[in-house]
Amino acid sequence: MMIQETRRTAPTAATAPIANAIAVASGKGGVGKTWLSITLAHALANLSRRTVLIDGDLGLANVDIQLGLAPELDLADVLDNNVPLAQAAQRHEPTGLDIVAGRSGVASLATLSPARLTSFGRGIADLSGRYDRVLIDLGAGVERPVRYLAGAAQRTIVVTNDEPTSLTDAYALIKLLMQDGAKTKVSVVVNAAASKAEGERTYKTLAKACDTFLKMTPPLLGVVRRDPKVREAIRAQAPLLTRHPSSEAARDVEAIAQQLAQAS
Amino acid sequence: MRLRTFTAPSISEAMRQVRAALGEDAVILSTEQVGKQVKLTAAIESARSVAATATAPAAGDDIETALHYHSVPRALADRLLATAGELEGGSPQQVLTAALRARFDFRPLTDHKPGRPILLAGLPGAGKSATLAKLAARAKVNGWAATAITCDLAKAGAIEQLATYARALEIPAYRAKDAATLRRAVAKTETSDLTLIDTLGTNPLKAGDLAQLREWAEAAGAEIVLVMAAGGDVIESAELAAAYAEAGATRLVATKVDVARRYGGILAAAEAGRLAFAGLGTSPEIASGLAALRADQLCRLILPASRAETRTTGASDNKSLSGTA
Ligand SMILES: Nc1ncnc2c1ncn2[C@@H]1O[C@H](COP(=O)(O)OP(=O)(O)O)[C@@H](O)[C@H]1O
Ligand SMILES: [Mg+2]
C-alpha cells in the first residue's frame, strides 16, 4: 500500500490507511502513551502477532528508556540518513518485539518537513508488509504531522486520563482529525483510571463533548486502571507483562490487545 | 473547546458557577457526587471553530495551518515552509521566527538614527500621519531631535493635524508645497536627528503620483518608507508594494495591525517589493509610539504562542484550558 505523495505542503491524510497500523496519540503528554504503546505491543506479541513498535516521540524518546535499550540505530537515522525503517527495527528479545527507537533531543515530528513526513509515511507502509501489527507512539501534540501519521494508520488510539487538560487535548486531536477528513478509526483508551467505573465516566465525558460539538462519538476501546506496578516496572526498566503479569494494569492492557489482535 | 470542572455543595450552586464562568451556552458533560459535594464538568465550544478554515490559528497549530489562515501566497508559504523544514527542532514559533528572519529583512526605524530624512508614502488613509507622530514620539523617547514636514496639502486639515501633533510633541513642523520648497525645508533641518516627511496619499495606479513621489524623495534626499495597513487583500497589497518599490521604497511600516486579523497582505507586500520590515502600528494611540517590527513579533502575529510552551513554563492552569477554539 502506498501513501500518496503530496507535492506542496504537509499532507493531511493518506488516501488509504495502512491496514495493520495502529497509532497511539493523546494531544497532551504524560498520559501514559509510551507505556501503553509498549505494553500493548508486548501483549500483541504474546498473542503471536508479529509486532513492530515505532517510537515516534522524537522529542522525548522514551520507549528505549522505559525498556532500557541501547539502540545502534534509531528513528533519527531513518529521517536524517535515509536508513530504511526495516534496518532500524531491532529485535527486543525479552518482549519478542521489533522496536524502532526514537532519539531524545532531536527534532520532533511536529517540525518534520512535508517531504520527509511523506517519505516516513511511505516507509511505514513498506515496513507494514513484514508484520501483523505496526504500533506507532506518536508523542504529544496535535500538529499536522502528528495528524498525518494518525491518518495514515487504520486505527488511532486516543489516550486520555481524567484531567481536564488531557480531556481537552484529546478532544482537540479528535476534532482536528475529523476536520482533516482523516480515514482512521478513532477509539479512546482511558488510562490511569481510579477504577473501571471511573474510567468509563471519564470516557462518557469525552464522548459527550464529541457528540455535542462534533456530532460523532468515538468508541471506548478500554480502560486501564491506575496501578503502582506500572511505575515500579518502568523504574526497573522491565516490561510490565513480564514483571507483573497478573497486575490490574497488565490485565486491562491484555483485554485491549485481544481486540486489536482480531482482524481490524 | 473550553472544559472546566466545578465543585459545589448543590447542583444548583454548581450550575450557577458554570453559567458565571462559561456562560449560557455551556454544556454539562458530566455530574458526579463526591462526598457531600457535586462535581460538574462543563464545556463550551466557540462558534467560530465550526468552519475549519475560518479558525484563527490556535495555540498548538502548525505553521502551515497558520500561513493558510493568513492567506499567505502559495509560493511564499512554500518558501517559508521549505526554510522551516530545514530548521527542524524547536517550537513552531521558534522555527517560524527563524524562517521569517531568513526570508525577510528587519530594519526597525527606531533602532538607529537614519542618515537621511524619512519620507512616508502610501495610500490615502494608510496611517502615514499617525505613523509620523508615533515615530516622532519614539524619537523623543530616544532623545533624538525630530522635525516634521508635510507635503500633504491636498488633504483638508492636514497641516492643522500636523501642527497639533508637532505642538504636542514639541517638535518643529514645516510645510512644503512642491519639490523645491521641500528641498529648502529639509535644508533647515540640519541639526535634526530624524526628519520625517508626510506626503499626500499617493495613487500608485497613476504614474504621475509615483513620479512626483520620486521627485520629492530626490529633492529631500530621503528614504521612502511605505506605510501600509494590515489586513488588505493579498494580491492588491503585493502589487501596491511593487509599485512603491518601483518608485524607490525600501522599507515597510505595517499599520492598523490591531484592527486586522489576517497578515498575509503585509507579508506579500514585503516580499513583492523586497521591502524590509521597519515598524508596526498596533494602536491608535500616538503616545504608544511605533513598535519595532522584528521577526519574533511578526511570528507572534502569525502564530500565537503555543500551549506546549505555556505548559512547560507551568503557566497553564490545569483546571481550564482552551482547546482548538
Ligand atoms: N496505568 C498507569 N498506572 C500508573 N501509572 C501510570 C499508568 N500509565 C502511565 N503511568 C505513569 O505515567 C508516566 C508517564 O507515562 P508515559 O508513557 O511516559 O506518558 P506519555 O508517553 O504519554 O508522555 C509513567 O512514567 C508512569 O509512571
Ligand atoms: Mg511518550
Side-chain angles (χ1 to χ4, degrees):
Chain A
M1 221 166 299
M2 291 294 286
I3 295 181
Q4 196 190 23
E5 171 94 50
T6 306
R7 261 145 261 95
R8 194 173 77 80
T9 46
T12 48
T15 40
I18 305 165
N20 57 352
I22 303 163
V24 181
S26 70
K28 187 179 184 296
V31 299
K33 229 173 4 292
T34 299
W35 170 77
L36 183 70
S37 304
I38 293 170
T39 312
L40 260 181
H42 188 185
L44 283 163
N46 286 350
L47 292 169
S48 313
R49 300 297 183 277
R50 288 168 303 162
T51 304
V52 61
L53 171 62
I54 301 174
D55 184 356
D57 193 349
L58 293 181
L60 290 163
N62 38 35
V63 168
D64 54 334
I65 295 168
Q66 289 197 17
L67 289 176
L69 314 177
E72 282 155 37
L73 289 170
D74 58 33
L75 201 52
D77 295 302
V78 174
L79 297 172
D80 295 344
N81 307 327
N82 296 320
V83 170
L85 265 176
Q87 197 180 323
Q90 285 164 38
R91 176 47 66 108
H92 180 247
E93 291 302 342
T95 54
L97 288 174
D98 281 355
I99 294 175
V100 179
R103 187 190 289 177
S104 293
V106 301
S108 79
L109 282 182
T111 54
L112 213 55
S113 71
R116 287 161 87 185
L117 187 61
T118 350
S119 99
F120 182 37
R122 253 200 315 270
I124 298 173
D126 292 344
L127 186 73
S128 71
R130 303 166 175 242
Y131 295 92
D132 296 320
R133 291 290 179 270
V134 180
L135 259 79
I136 313 161
D137 175 2
L138 287 184
V142 298
E143 290 83 2
R144 183 77 49 119
V146 167
R147 280 139 53 199
Y148 169 71
L149 291 174
Q154 174 87 359
R155 269 182 170 281
T156 297
I157 299 175
V158 175
V159 186
T160 185
N161 58 27
D162 65 354
E163 289 170 24
T165 46
S166 167
L167 282 170
T168 304
D169 287 8
Y171 169 84
L173 178 64
I174 294 167
K175 174 177 165 178
L176 290 169
L177 283 171
M178 223 186 92
Q179 287 180 347
D180 291 347
K183 295 188 188 73
T184 184
K185 261 199 274 178
V186 175
S187 56
V188 175
V189 166
V190 179
N191 187 34
S195 66
K196 286 263 170 186
E198 277 296 321
E200 276 158 24
R201 193 199 305 277
T202 300
Y203 164 72
K204 283 195 183 125
T205 303
L206 177 61
K208 176 96 186 276
C210 293
D211 185 45
T212 309
F213 301 130
L214 305 177
K215 312 280 172 250
M216 59 83 80
T217 314
L220 177 66
L221 185 63
V223 172
V224 180
R225 284 166 286 180
R226 187 180 305 130
D227 188 336
K229 301 258 176 7
V230 170
R231 185 171 302 234
E232 196 280 327
I234 292 176
R235 284 233 183 87
Q237 295 190 311
L240 182 79
L241 297 186
T242 316
R243 199 169 171 89
H244 302 292
S246 54
S247 61
E248 289 183 337
R251 280 183 281 135
D252 292 343
V253 174
E254 277 166 349
I256 295 172
Q258 285 286 355
Q259 300 179 57
L260 296 177
Q262 314 301 318
S264 51
Chain B
M1 178 179 72
R2 275 184 10 98
L3 179 147
R4 282 190 59 178
T5 57
F6 301 84
T7 309
S10 71
I11 189 114
S12 53
E13 171 56 19
M15 291 292 286
R16 204 194 54 73
Q17 288 181 17
V18 170
R19 302 279 172 254
L22 299 176
E24 290 300 319
D25 293 337
V27 175
I28 307 303
L29 297 180
S30 65
T31 54
E32 191 186 339
Q33 193 76 38
V34 183
K36 289 203 163 122
Q37 304 277 82
V38 179
K39 189 176 144 199
L40 264 183
T41 304
I44 48 163
E45 180 81 314
S46 71
R48 224 167 29 133
S49 59
V50 174
T53 52
T55 305
D61 254 353
D62 56 32
I63 297 172
E64 189 200 354
T65 312
L67 295 178
H68 178 72
Y69 169 81
H70 290 285
S71 305
V72 173
R74 224 159 229 255
L76 173 56
D78 272 354
R79 279 193 288 277
L80 283 168
L81 286 167
T83 311
E86 302 295 309
L87 300 166
E88 290 170 15
S91 68
Q93 282 70 24
Q94 291 166 329
V95 170
L96 179 59
T97 300
L100 289 169
R101 197 174 287 129
R103 284 274 146 210
F104 292 102
D105 256 352
F106 295 87
R107 285 190 281 129
L109 277 166
T110 46
D111 272 10
H112 308 282
K113 291 178 191 173
R116 44 194 186 131
I118 298 294
L119 184 141
L120 301 171
L123 292 183
K128 294 180 296 296
S129 302
T131 297
L132 183 146
K134 287 179 179 187
L135 279 169
R138 179 52 62 103
K140 251 204 133 67
V141 173
N142 289 3
W144 303 346
T147 310
I149 305 173
T150 185
C151 307
D152 202 350
L153 297 178
K155 192 167 126 198
I159 261 295
E160 289 74 10
Q161 189 190 23
L162 180 75
T164 311
Y165 285 152
R167 222 176 303 120
L169 293 162
E170 301 174 306
I171 59 170
Y174 302 90
R175 62 208 271 192
K177 63 179 193 316
D178 52 29
T181 44
L182 178 61
R183 183 181 290 117
R184 280 203 294 279
V186 169
K188 286 191 237 166
T189 66
E190 288 246 284
T191 57
S192 164
D193 295 316
L194 179 65
T195 300
L196 299 163
I197 305 167
D198 197 1
T199 60
L200 212 61
T202 30
N203 179 351
L205 304 178
K206 274 170 51 189
D209 272 18
L210 288 178
Q212 187 179 50
L213 195 64
R214 193 178 297 137
E215 193 192 342
W216 279 346
E218 276 164 15
E223 175 189 350
I224 301 177
V225 172
L226 173 60
V227 177
M228 180 182 276
D233 177 82
V234 171
I235 299 172
E236 188 82 17
S237 301
E239 288 177 357
L240 276 177
Y244 280 100
E246 234 349 88
T250 48
R251 287 197 261 189
L252 173 70
V253 169
T255 59
K256 308 193 179 180
V257 166
D258 52 328
V259 292
R261 283 204 300 165
R262 287 174 169 81
Y263 304 113
I266 55 176
L267 286 187
E271 151 116 325
R274 297 163 162 273
L275 303 174
F277 286 108
L280 196 62
T282 52
S283 89
E285 299 271 320
I286 299 304
S288 66
L290 194 78
L293 178 49
R294 291 178 227 280
D296 51 336
Q297 272 100 357
L298 188 57
C299 173
R300 229 168 289 143
L301 287 179
I302 295 167
L303 193 63
S306 82
R307 278 183 302 174
E309 278 178 357
T310 39
R311 202 180 292 133
T312 51
T313 55
S316 79
D317 158 15
N318 62 13
K319 280 265 152 67
S320 157
L321 248 195
S322 300
T324 47

